[in-house]
Amino acid sequence: MNDDMQILGWDDEVEAGSPFVLLPEGDYPFTITGLEKGIYEKPADRTTKIPANCPMATVSLEFTAATGEKSTLTEKFYLYKKMQWKINQFFTAIGAPKNADGVIKMNWATVLGAHGTAKLVVNNYTDRNDKPAQNNRIKDFLEPTQQTAPGYQAPQQSYQQPPAQTQPPQQNVTPFPQQTAAPQNGAGYNF
């Protein structure tokens, strides 16, 4: 779980924290500081294009400006076909190798601590009190290059391709055997 979401006790000590930093639009290096896997639960009171019970990765990214200012953004990756482009762009940015067709094998085990670069934009919105507000949003994850922001030295990538599965195909197997009870403890999800 993201440390920012940790519940405090009534008698805990509290830190001063850091103020919200709005970075100007541009390309910024990032480090992945958090990863949480979950399932998207479709809200009952509204429609959404995301499939119900879709696997979802919530990633915290810490961006660093040339001035040393830091800002943390959270990005959600929904694991369904329509969002492949975004997942591919993300894994490319952190150094995952592509095959000749541009296909990447996801390896979420290597995400935490990985580095990359992304294009940030300033997003204008109306807050809960109907007042205008701004925050940063990730527009694109960028392919690694030799050129980076001034004063930033690109770290070595630590992405490792996941091992290929070499199980022999099974013959004469019913794809979905009769099931009389729901899976227990999240069984059935491979992540």
Side-chain angles (χ1 to χ4, degrees), residues 18-188:
S18 58
F20 170 75
V21 175
L22 181 68
L23 299 174
E25 293 190 356
D27 300 346
Y28 292 90
F30 65 81
T31 301
I32 299 172
T33 58
L35 169 66
E36 185 176 328
K37 295 177 182 177
I39 299 292
Y40 174 75
E41 295 181 16
K42 194 172 191 173
D45 61 341
R46 62 185 176 130
T47 59
T48 178
K49 296 178 182 180
I50 302 166
N53 301 317
C54 179
M56 169 183 72
T58 304
V59 178
S60 297
L61 304 102
E62 182 178 78
F63 288 86
T64 306
T67 60
E69 288 182 296
K70 295 181 185 285
S71 180
T72 300
L73 298 179
T74 301
E75 190 74 15
K76 293 184 187 248
F77 296 93
Y78 301 99
L79 279 59
Y80 70 106
K81 287 240 181 215
K82 186 174 182 179
M83 298 308 295
Q84 289 183 103
W85 68 270
K86 183 177 180 182
I87 298 166
N88 185 295
Q89 197 181 72
F90 170 71
F91 276 99
T92 298
I94 63 172
K98 290 184 179 187
N99 72 15
D101 295 331
V103 176
I104 290 176
K105 177 86 171 161
M106 293 185 289
N107 187 358
W108 293 98
T110 62
V111 168
L112 201 56
H115 303 275
T117 305
K119 179 177 289 300
L120 295 184
V121 294
V122 173
N123 177 54
N124 296 306
Y125 67 99
T126 303
D127 70 11
R128 293 178 186 168
N129 299 320
D130 289 328
K131 294 183 180 178
Q134 294 182 316
N135 63 8
N136 287 118
R137 296 272 186 206
I138 298 169
K139 180 176 182 188
D140 291 304
F141 290 97
L142 306 176
E143 289 199 36
T145 64
Q146 298 302 321
Q147 297 176 351
T148 58
Y152 176 74
Q153 184 170 350
Q156 295 293 324
Q157 293 296 328
S158 61
Y159 186 88
Q160 295 179 2
Q161 187 73 13
Q165 296 182 358
T166 58
Q167 295 178 343
Q170 296 178 352
Q171 307 251 340
N172 299 326
V173 176
T174 304
F176 300 101
Q178 298 278 338
Q179 209 173 354
T180 58
Q184 299 296 314
N185 298 327

